[in-house]
Amino acid sequence: MKLTRRHILSLAGAGAARLLATTPNASPLFEEVPASSSGITWTHENAMSPERYLPETLGPGCAFLDFDNDGWMDIFLVNSGPSDFYKPPKPLRNALYKNNRDGTFTDVTEKAGVAGGSAFGMGVAVGDYDNDGWPDIFVTAYGNCTLYRNNHDGTFTDVTKKSGLETPGWTTSAVWFDYDNDGRLDLFICSFVDYGKTEHLSCGDNKLGKHYYCIPRVFRGTASFLYHNNGDGTFTPVQAGTDIAKMMGKGLGVVATDINNDGKMDLFVANDTVQNFLYVNRGKDKSGKWQFEEIALAAEVGYSENGQARSGMGVDAADVFNSGYQDLFVANVDQEMFSLYRNQKNETFRDVAHPNGVAQSTRLLSGWGLKFFDYDDDGNIDLILSNGHPDDMIENYSMQVKYKEPLVLFHQDGGKLHDVSKDAGPAFSKMYAARGLAAGDFNNDGRIDILVANNGGAPLLLRNQSGAGNHWLGIRLIGTSCNKDAIGARIVWSAGGAVRSRLKNSGGSYLSSHDPREVLGIGSAAKIDYVEIHWPAPSGKVEKFTTLPLDRYIAIEEGKGIRG
Amino acid sequence: MARTRDFSRVSGAGTRVACPSHVELCSYFLGRALEAATATPIRAAASIIGCIGFVMPRMLWPVLAVALCAPGLKAQSDQTENILRQAISLHQAGNVEGAIPKYEAYLKARPDSMLALANLGAAYAHVGRYGDAISEYKKALASEPGNAPIEMNLALAYYKSGQIDDAAKTLQKVHQVSPADTRPTLLLADCWLAMGKNKEVIDLMSPVAERQPDDLAVAYLLGTALVRDNQVERGQVVIDKILRNGDSAEARLLLGTTKLGAMDFAGALQDLTKAVELNPKLPDVYSYYGLALLRTGDAAGAENAFRQELASNPNDFNANLQIGVLLKQDENYEGALKYLRHALDIRPGDLAVRYQIASIDFARGGAEQARKELESIVKESPKFTEAHVTLATVYYRLKRKDDGDRERATVAALNAEAQEKQPGVHVK
């Protein structure tokens, strides 16, 4: 291949992966897996009505989960359903697709008993709340939430009422995490707006003489929910007396992470049209009450750098710049640009979206599901964004903003993110009304694939084909004294002279849940020198492993070493 | 490349007239003034006064008359007066650099000579020494307070040096003395537009527009002010008047500005692209073109456009502010401050610029300095929500939690107030 000056500049600016991707014969980084190939024929019903009720445009979420513990990622998709403004002409259902381990999936929804159909479903959070080693499913909704407990036999039982997690209102993203380090997963649920009980707000007719989706600014905010896991299958709401109850937000996205490395999981919540919230876990106060302090204003993650509340939707956290601290991300709507907040290591952040090209790439986009991940296994954290404007009539008022928008892929090179969407494959040239996004390795090749849930359409499954020649190790962490999902664990690994670390966060994206396994990319290094697991409390144990395989998945169980 | 507001094509004046390059900041209406001046012998004489005076020949005639005809001067034949004659002779011949030391030498002997002071000021202005020119004009005015031509020259020197506020104040004096004189009125309107005083421009230009309904220069200034003041319907009437004279950069600029205000960014970009094509020298055109590019996702193109504006019009407020903000976003705080401070020179006290500077102070670790400025800003503008947000952050950073909480409560109240104004009715 002849290297032109442009190629050389491209190589310098965005790394070899980008250059290879521009080569005409190179495979796209991500390839769409059509429904005809995957067998995923389910489509989302957004219930779009002439009245344009706001819940219609906000869903759905999706998840990668291994519901049958066979080591292969299955897929869960959330659908809308009956509500006070919508009576489906025919029954609607969620979908659970079992991975057939050959690139195809089988719909097992009915057998599994997770069809739902009693509420207007929004999002999904997967977690092993009962520490039985099997993932359970929590579904948020406009209407009551649902908790499905895994029966270990391919079926689930609706235990919502018994668990105490019904949670009426309009809930969106939810996250399982162990806030009090008692070894059991607790649950935080974002509450969106006060949408009214018997009547709803209409914003009237637009220039076309049609109703349009109200901007959430017109609705009053609500307080989110924090449930403590009692360890007996029940939960107790514990937000009262904390900042979580005091803060009236319009929560859409949430990620559980540890922003100050104190071993206690914090929460970052993206709010729509009001400030974001950063709830720092302060532990017990003098009265024994567990406290979260909301510090977004002081931390400079509440508003834009010009002091404006934005339309926060998707979120994520990761140690993007390998500083040992968690950085944050928020997706907003068009003209607001998305934020990449670099952790300053003192409970404050600085928005570095502009120096990383993120602001420029997202000025005209409205972002929802997203994920920090190392798509090419080179060891650096990259980023994918799914987008789509919430107003289906936007193109009638705006020539530059579209209802359906493209996915955006950033590759990290030289400590900066670079937009490589143009080189990522045909799927990145298409337009989607994307909402949820989940990352997971459905074919177990060590390259993390992507699932996008589209509003009013079929989901999009993208097979990751990047990172040829790069090595990796996939790890499933299994807690014993800590929570079974090991959320809050820190993985430190050394390979090729580089030491990296990763915190096992929970949640993130929008309405969605990711593959719980961690894939450690090591680039061209021939071996991994060591992997250290810093298990979360209550044990806080640190275990080091030096004899490790490459290019395969292993399980590491707390105190019991490598399994399988 | 220098740019002028050449409105002659639109006005149908027949002859395309542009201001000379050394007065590139002058507006289209000054071009028209020049056009009128070419018919009189005064123009050549006016050049003695210098480049800035050049554009106001009639007004400067009295000064020139003193220079050439003062009987006392003719009668005096001593060496000192010869120096002044030499200075004027050199100045007339276009050797301004040679004239300056002669004027300076003369003024050592006759420091109160209003004529020499005024001419030296003009010579300084001609070679770009605006600070020195202003100093000389002020001395001349001390000798003869209220001299309108010198006030006008002083105003132009202020304008040229980017001291738009001082230029406007000086022009106001001239305008008060000669309210019927369109030229200082138009320049005053132009200054006020640069300062964002749209309502003042509307008040100033509305009666002029009634008196001179066919004057497109007047229409353009009034239309611009109306559009910027969100009086779109009135503005549209004026725009239509301009459009009836055919497609023009000025009309496109106005249309583009209107669409920007209506958040039709793509539509604005189309008009502003056309405006740039029709007349890339039109003041403000690159500034608004840059805004449209920025809003349609082309940040790099926007920055380039703002820089193009500043290359020919260093005193464009928008371009200075926007480049300052872009540099701030890239964490180039020193570079940002340079532009923002200049924007503040153009619009003294502008809250948006002061807010940006305060936020840079804060980002650079100057929380205390930022606090003082932000407190001052919210005192002046209690409903400036963004300033309250940043002030709350600053207080928290300074460990002044109670103050931070108070500001936060203010933000909440302002947001609630804004929410009440949102559209929406309850329906079953």
Side-chain angles (χ1 to χ4, degrees):
Chain A
M1 182 174 69
K2 186 182 174 186
L3 284 179
T4 63
R5 183 171 175 272
R6 177 173 289 185
H7 277 128
I8 293 166
L9 289 172
S10 173
L11 182 62
R18 186 176 178 185
L19 176 63
L20 288 169
T22 60
T23 308
N25 294 328
S27 299
L29 300 180
F30 287 85
E31 185 178 58
E32 182 177 350
V33 183
S36 57
S37 168
S38 68
I40 300 173
T41 55
W42 175 94
T43 60
H44 176 249
E45 171 56 63
N46 61 8
M48 187 183 283
S49 66
E51 290 77 17
R52 295 296 194 275
Y53 295 106
L54 192 56
E56 297 166 1
T57 192
L58 261 62
C62 59
F64 275 118
L65 76 166
D66 183 9
F67 81 95
D68 52 1
N69 268 343
D70 67 350
W72 293 79
M73 282 296 125
D74 310 301
I75 285 173
F76 184 76
L77 300 154
V78 181
N79 212 342
S80 66
S83 72
D84 57 356
F85 63 81
Y86 178 57
K87 301 287 177 275
K90 60 180 181 181
L92 296 175
R93 61 182 186 87
N94 305 319
L96 178 64
Y97 281 98
K98 176 179 165 48
N99 190 329
N100 299 325
R101 312 180 191 185
D102 59 359
T104 69
F105 294 81
T106 299
D107 189 336
V108 296
T109 313
E110 299 299 339
K111 182 191 168 201
V114 292
S118 61
F120 199 95
M122 297 298 299
V124 54
V126 177
D128 183 5
Y129 78 91
D130 51 4
N131 282 340
D132 63 357
W134 296 77
D136 309 297
I137 300 173
F138 182 74
V139 179
T140 61
Y142 173 68
N144 284 339
C145 298
T146 308
L147 176 63
Y148 295 107
R149 185 172 54 78
N150 194 318
N151 298 326
H152 314 173
D153 60 359
T155 69
F156 290 78
T157 300
D158 183 342
V159 294
T160 315
K161 199 164 184 181
K162 180 187 165 198
S163 67
L165 290 177
E166 287 160 302
T167 319
W170 186 352
T171 53
T172 54
S173 293
V175 60
W176 294 101
F177 74 124
D178 181 10
Y179 75 82
D180 56 353
N181 285 329
D182 65 356
R184 293 187 291 266
L185 289 181
D186 310 300
L187 183 64
F188 179 89
I189 308 172
C190 289
S191 178
F192 193 43
V193 298
D194 177 3
Y195 196 60
K197 290 183 174 58
T198 57
E199 55 184 11
H200 303 297
L201 270 180
S202 167
C203 292
D205 296 342
N206 59 17
K207 290 175 186 170
L208 306 173
K210 294 178 179 175
H211 287 264
Y212 63 98
Y213 292 118
C214 289
I215 296 171
R217 200 173 286 121
V218 308
F219 300 103
R220 287 193 168 76
T222 54
S224 289
F225 302 91
L226 177 64
Y227 287 98
H228 179 251
N229 187 336
N230 301 323
D232 59 358
T234 68
F235 292 79
T236 303
V238 292
Q239 70 271 11
T242 74
D243 279 359
I244 293 171
K246 287 178 200 159
M247 297 298 153
M248 295 296 116
K250 302 176 185 180
L252 286 179
V254 58
V255 61
T257 184
D258 181 2
I259 62 128
N260 51 9
N261 287 345
D262 67 352
K264 295 191 285 289
M265 296 297 275
D266 312 303
L267 293 164
F268 182 49
V269 178
N271 283 308
D272 198 347
T273 70
V274 296
Q275 72 154 90
N276 302 316
F277 297 147
L278 179 55
Y279 294 114
V280 176
N281 189 334
R282 296 299 189 203
K284 284 183 180 174
D285 64 14
K286 288 174 187 169
S287 69
K289 174 77 180 170
W290 210 279
Q291 289 295 344
F292 284 83
E293 183 186 6
E294 201 292 296
I295 65 158
L297 251 173
E300 295 188 67
V301 295
Y303 293 84
S304 76
E305 61 183 352
N306 287 327
Q308 291 162 335
R310 292 187 279 188
S311 304
M313 300 187 292
V315 289
D316 205 10
D319 180 4
V320 181
F321 303 108
N322 214 29
S323 68
Y325 282 76
Q326 296 292 299
D327 308 300
L328 302 173
F329 194 93
V330 187
N332 302 301
V333 298
D334 66 287
Q335 298 298 344
E336 295 180 340
M337 296 174 280
F338 303 177
S339 284
L340 170 57
Y341 291 114
R342 185 175 193 141
N343 196 320
Q344 304 293 101
K345 307 181 183 180
N346 57 358
E347 294 192 358
T348 73
F349 292 78
R350 178 161 293 179
D351 192 341
V352 293
H354 281 274
N356 281 278
V358 170
Q360 294 87 325
S361 290
T362 60
R363 179 180 279 277
L364 300 180
L365 301 177
S366 301
W368 306 84
L370 59 98
K371 178 66 178 166
F372 281 127
F373 72 133
D374 176 11
Y375 73 76
D376 57 354
D377 290 332
D378 66 354
N380 296 324
I381 294 291
D382 312 306
L383 173 67
I384 189 167
L385 308 172
S386 68
N387 309 291
H389 199 278
D391 182 355
D392 62 299
M393 288 179 271
I394 183 66
E395 290 166 45
N396 291 294
Y397 336 124
S398 172
M399 288 166 69
Q400 74 274 18
V401 179
K402 307 295 180 193
Y403 172 56
K404 293 187 176 183
E405 297 176 346
L407 304 172
V408 177
L409 184 70
F410 287 92
H411 181 257
Q412 186 180 171
D413 188 67
K416 285 203 168 189
L417 294 171
H418 302 274
D419 185 344
V420 295
S421 310
K422 279 189 287 188
D423 307 325
F428 286 76
S429 304
K430 293 184 180 175
M431 301 293 186
Y432 309 94
R435 297 295 185 268
L437 179 148
D441 183 6
F442 76 84
N443 54 0
N444 284 344
D445 65 353
R447 297 170 197 141
I448 299 169
D449 311 299
I450 293 295
L451 176 66
V452 176
N454 290 311
N455 180 269
L460 171 70
L461 182 61
L462 295 176
R463 183 190 294 117
N464 184 342
Q465 304 184 127
S466 68
N470 286 344
H471 295 292
W472 57 277
L473 174 65
I475 300 179
R476 179 185 169 204
L477 295 178
I478 304 169
T480 51
S481 68
C482 75
N483 66 88
K484 191 68 90 177
D485 290 346
I487 289 163
R490 187 178 296 278
I491 305 169
V492 181
W493 73 99
S494 169
V499 178
R500 300 178 189 278
S501 74
R502 187 176 300 168
L503 182 69
K504 191 164 165 48
N505 293 321
S506 186
S509 191
Y510 172 70
L511 303 180
S512 299
S513 203
H514 308 296
D515 185 338
R517 301 171 298 179
E518 296 292 336
V519 177
L520 314 181
I522 60 168
S524 58
K527 60 174 271 204
I528 294 180
D529 305 318
Y530 67 84
V531 169
E532 264 179 15
I533 309 297
H534 298 240
W535 297 95
S539 81
K541 194 180 291 178
V542 179
E543 293 182 285
K544 188 169 185 175
F545 304 92
T546 52
T547 306
L548 295 151
L550 272 189
D551 302 335
R552 56 171 289 198
Y553 281 95
I554 59 171
I556 300 178
E557 191 164 359
E558 183 181 8
K560 296 180 182 173
I562 296 174
R563 250 177 45 175
Chain B
M1 190 182 195
R3 284 189 285 146
T4 63
R5 286 188 205 262
D6 177 7
F7 212 70
S8 56
R9 192 173 54 77
V10 177
S11 66
T15 309
R16 191 181 181 95
V17 179
C19 296
S21 61
H22 55 270
V23 285
E24 69 271 18
L25 287 185
C26 74
S27 301
Y28 54 87
F29 47 85
L30 296 181
R32 296 185 64 190
L34 265 179
E35 186 184 8
T38 52
T40 74
I42 298 162
R43 180 181 179 189
S47 66
I48 297 169
I49 304 301
C51 63
I52 292 179
F54 194 86
V55 298
M56 289 292 153
R58 288 180 188 167
M59 299 176 76
L60 291 169
W61 193 9
V63 179
L64 180 69
V66 174
L68 296 180
C69 309
L73 181 62
K74 222 171 201 179
Q76 292 169 4
S77 56
D78 63 6
Q79 200 174 353
T80 305
E81 297 308 324
N82 268 338
I83 294 173
L84 180 58
R85 285 177 196 282
Q86 288 170 17
I88 292 171
S89 177
L90 288 166
H91 204 158
Q92 277 182 309
N95 185 357
V96 181
E97 297 276 9
I100 287 173
K102 299 287 182 190
Y103 285 130
E104 289 171 341
Y106 178 78
L107 282 166
K108 278 188 181 163
R110 303 265 194 280
D112 297 328
S113 168
M114 183 274 286
L115 171 67
L117 288 167
N119 279 5
L120 178 58
Y124 280 148
H126 185 92
V127 297
R129 292 169 60 179
Y130 300 109
D132 292 333
I134 289 165
S135 173
E136 298 307 315
Y137 288 141
K138 282 182 174 173
K139 287 181 204 165
L141 285 168
S143 294
E144 193 174 317
N147 181 302
I150 299 175
E151 293 272 21
M152 189 69 198
N153 276 2
L154 174 61
L156 287 162
Y158 278 135
Y159 188 103
K160 183 78 176 176
S161 64
Q163 299 177 61
I164 306 298
D165 185 38
D166 290 322
K169 284 175 186 161
T170 310
L171 284 163
Q172 267 184 289
K173 287 187 206 169
V174 179
H175 173 69
Q176 280 165 4
V177 172
S178 311
D181 190 336
T182 309
R183 291 161 299 177
T185 309
L186 292 172
L187 188 55
L188 176 57
D190 200 53
C191 287
W192 277 345
L193 273 184
M195 296 168 70
K197 294 186 170 182
N198 300 316
K199 290 193 192 306
E200 285 85 341
V201 176
I202 294 165
D203 292 344
L204 180 71
M205 297 310 296
S206 293
V208 182
E210 281 183 23
R211 285 198 308 270
Q212 300 169 221
D214 297 326
D215 190 325
L216 293 175
V218 173
Y220 179 70
L221 280 169
L222 178 59
T224 303
L226 287 167
V227 166
R228 292 185 188 175
D229 197 47
N230 291 322
Q231 298 188 42
V232 178
E233 281 189 22
R234 275 187 73 193
Q236 191 63 48
V237 174
V238 181
I239 293 169
D240 288 345
K241 181 187 289 182
I242 296 169
L243 283 174
R244 279 198 293 275
N245 283 270
D247 200 3
S248 67
E250 289 79 4
R252 292 285 187 164
L253 176 57
L254 270 177
L255 279 171
T257 311
T258 307
K259 289 178 182 175
L260 274 177
M263 299 182 77
D264 175 8
F265 303 123
L269 183 59
Q270 283 182 346
D271 282 316
L272 293 164
T273 303
K274 188 70 181 172
V276 166
E277 283 171 19
L278 289 168
N279 184 5
K281 299 175 183 176
L282 184 68
D284 291 347
V285 73
Y286 270 108
S287 182
Y288 283 95
Y289 177 56
L291 281 177
L293 286 169
L294 195 62
R295 290 299 200 158
T296 50
D298 184 358
E303 182 172 349
N304 186 44
F306 295 135
R307 290 194 185 282
Q308 291 226 48
E309 181 71 43
L310 292 183
S312 55
N313 181 9
N315 298 320
D316 184 275
F317 174 79
N318 257 337
N320 278 291
L321 172 60
Q322 293 298 334
I323 289 195
V325 171
L326 288 171
L327 291 174
K328 177 191 146 193
Q329 287 167 343
D330 286 336
E331 300 181 339
N332 178 357
Y333 298 130
E334 276 307 319
L337 282 174
K338 181 183 141 201
Y339 289 95
L340 292 170
R341 284 181 181 139
H342 190 52
L344 204 54
D345 287 340
I346 299 163
R347 292 190 187 176
D350 185 275
L351 291 171
V353 181
R354 286 165 59 197
Y355 171 74
Q356 292 293 339
I357 291 173
S359 64
I360 288 177
D361 288 339
F362 182 47
R364 297 202 304 180
E368 195 55 45
Q369 195 177 343
R371 176 191 63 78
K372 286 177 190 162
E373 182 63 4
L374 289 164
E375 284 177 344
S376 165
I377 290 170
V378 298
K379 192 173 177 186
E380 282 180 54
S381 180
K383 296 199 172 183
F384 192 163
T385 308
E386 294 85 349
H388 285 288
V389 167
T390 307
L391 182 56
T393 304
V394 169
Y395 279 139
Y396 286 128
R397 193 63 54 81
L398 291 169
K399 308 293 181 197
R400 291 172 57 170
K401 186 173 182 308
D402 289 347
D403 291 323
D405 289 347
R406 188 193 64 239
E407 286 302 315
R408 185 175 182 144
T410 304
V411 171
L414 288 170
N415 286 338
E417 191 181 316
Q419 179 163 318
E420 290 304 314
K421 294 175 186 164
Q422 293 294 320
V425 293
H426 287 277
V427 293
K428 289 284 181 189

